[in-house]
Amino acid sequence: MIGARAMHDLSGREYLQAKIDGRLPPAPIGGLMAMTAVSVGEGTVEFRCQPDG
């Protein structure tokens, strides 16, 4: 719930950057899908993932 509370105080870009920087916990689905946000820009988010082999 930490991340959900922070959404009220941050813009979308600030929120995503806080997750990337580790100031907020990552989204649970990221662990399930082996996916991590690595950068955020104006209207863009870059994700990195490791596909199952």
Side-chain angles (χ1 to χ4, degrees), residues 9-50:
D9 299 326
L10 303 171
S11 70
R13 186 175 181 175
E14 291 169 333
Y15 180 77
L16 290 170
Q17 189 63 57
K19 287 183 168 286
I20 291 168
D21 295 343
R23 293 180 284 129
L24 290 175
I29 196 166
L32 179 65
M33 298 182 69
M35 174 178 69
T36 305
V38 293
S39 69
V40 61
E42 191 62 39
T44 64
V45 180
E46 180 182 342
F47 290 90
R48 191 166 295 142
C49 67
Q50 180 66 43

